[in-house]
Amino acid sequence: MDSKIAAPQKKVAVTGAGGFIGHHLVNALKKKGHWVRGIDIKNPEFTKSEADEFWFADLRNKDMALKLLTEMDEVYALAADVGGVGHLSRWNYEIIKNNLEIDTNTIEAVLKSKGKKILYTSSACVYPLYKQKTNNPLPLKEEDAMPADPEGAYGWEKLTAEQILEHASRDHGLQIRIARFQNVYGPEETFEGGREKVVGALCRKIAIAKEGESIEVWGDGLQKRSFCYVDDCVISLIELMESSYSKPLNVSIDKTITINNLTKLIIKSSGKKLKIKNISGPEGVRGRMPDVSMRKKVLKYIPKTSIQKGLNNVYLWVESEINRGK
Ligand code: NAD
């Protein structure tokens, strides 16, 4: 028998396929030989989707979710009304309402689907605020999410969706995978328009700054976060889907950096001489660090991209996009 026979091609849907991570995920799934249906209310911003089919559909509409998801073997659920800390702290009502509609419609459709299998992208915002009050908090284990005190409406939405998934799994046999991300970054992330996250926003500010100018950073810049490069993220997602692990899993990196030091690394990539000016603005929790010991047990893949290399890639990409638009 030929041991090199390829695994059978699956019919896979990616919701949020026009977004940053969804777009990279579609490309990675295509490289693995799957048939992919992308779904979003918008196209990817910078390069064309490689999905076999790309549907413009609003998943707050249940009929649309049923129409597009029921024939699938697997569904990667990434669609969400989301953005950086500025967007998340300003639009709490819209975020919880829109996202719970997307989540419940998606889960209901996957329950009725051929494969009954869903990977949901959750967030480190589910972790309780009371565990993140210092700059050097203890690493957050998956079980630390309870007792609940998540961050804002977005954190409540993600935690609620996790609960709905766990009930659908227990009561109706839905096969679930839950990835908790924290600050995924990379080329083709949004860097302007109000939904940009910290890396995209800093790259833009630094790319347009003139020699000697100051870069504004929200808060005192001592808040700490961990960052996961998008290629490492999507490979981990595919491996998690293929695993048999059905509890929430931190798909992130166990190293943190202060926002001021992150800014300094991007300034270094720019080759410019710039200063940092810390100003008041939404800054989220003081410190957040995932515990990744369970990820190391569940997934064989070890993230490979150093923060210096990853930030350099994003900076050069943002700079070239800005120069192209001039
Ligand atoms: P993104 O905003 O780039 O992608 C989300 C996509 O969902 C967008 O293209 C958007 O148009 C689409 N969408 C929004 N409303 C929709 C609707 N009603 N119907 C269909 N599509 C809709 O965000 P991202 O950074 O790629 O994040 C992907 C997922 O990962 C999200 O669920 C997000 O909450 C989660 N996440 C991301 C990070 C991160 O650092 N990027 C961190 C934690 C969790």
Side-chain angles (χ1 to χ4, degrees), residues 137-262:
L138 288 173
L140 294 158
K141 285 188 197 309
E142 286 81 356
E143 59 267 30
D144 288 336
M146 298 291 180
D149 182 19
E151 190 177 356
Y154 178 66
W156 277 110
E157 174 260 318
K158 291 291 188 193
L159 198 58
T160 306
E162 289 189 7
Q163 290 287 306
I164 298 171
L165 286 161
E166 282 168 15
H167 289 296
S169 172
R170 253 179 259 129
D171 296 352
H172 302 289
L174 185 70
Q175 295 188 67
I176 60 169
R177 308 285 181 266
I178 299 171
R180 288 185 186 151
F181 296 154
Q182 179 170 346
N183 297 310
V184 182
Y185 73 105
E188 302 206 34
E189 73 173 84
T190 302
F191 61 84
E192 59 190 350
R195 284 181 189 258
E196 61 274 30
K197 302 195 175 87
V198 61
V199 172
L202 286 171
C203 287
R204 183 198 70 238
K205 289 181 187 179
I206 291 167
I208 60 178
K210 296 199 177 63
E211 211 52 58
E213 281 185 355
S214 294
I215 301 301
E216 291 189 342
V217 173
W218 285 343
D220 62 10
L222 301 179
Q223 61 275 33
K224 279 189 182 155
R225 295 290 184 278
S226 99
F227 292 85
C228 181
Y229 194 65
V230 68
D231 292 353
D232 292 324
C233 168
V234 298
I235 295 170
S236 304
L237 281 189
I238 296 171
E239 198 187 331
L240 176 59
M241 180 67 110
E242 285 166 2
S243 79
S244 57
Y245 194 72
S246 60
K247 291 188 185 155
L249 188 71
N250 286 330
V251 174
S252 43
I253 307 288
D254 55 349
K255 288 196 183 81
T256 55
I257 181 168
T258 67
I259 299 302
N260 277 350
N261 284 340
L262 183 89

Side-chain angles (χ1 to χ4, degrees), residues 91-123:
W91 300 106
N92 280 284
Y93 169 70
E94 284 75 9
I95 285 165
I96 198 161
K97 176 188 169 291
N98 289 338
N99 288 345
L100 281 175
E101 284 176 7
I102 296 170
D103 296 337
T104 48
N105 289 341
T106 303
I107 293 166
E108 184 70 11
V110 180
L111 260 175
K112 296 190 164 73
S113 75
K114 195 166 155 237
K116 283 181 84 167
K117 190 170 179 191
I118 182 170
L119 183 147
Y120 178 74
T121 50
S122 185
S123 161

Side-chain angles (χ1 to χ4, degrees), residues 1-68:
M1 233 173 94
D2 184 355
S3 60
K4 287 190 182 154
I5 292 173
Q9 190 188 46
K10 287 181 195 150
K11 270 192 130 175
V12 177
V14 176
T15 78
F20 164 52
I21 305 171
H23 181 49
H24 283 274
L25 177 62
V26 166
N27 297 348
L29 287 164
K30 282 306 301 166
K31 280 202 188 92
K32 291 213 70 156
H34 297 304
W35 184 93
V36 183
R37 173 176 288 167
I39 303 166
D40 204 303
I41 47 175
K42 67 167 183 68
N43 261 318
E45 268 177 79
F46 305 101
T47 53
K48 200 172 170 299
S49 177
E50 288 175 25
D52 295 275
E53 282 180 2
F54 194 97
W55 286 73
F56 292 101
D58 188 332
L59 291 167
R60 289 172 299 177
N61 177 329
K62 189 173 170 187
D63 291 339
M64 267 296 169
L66 287 168
K67 174 177 163 165
L68 295 176

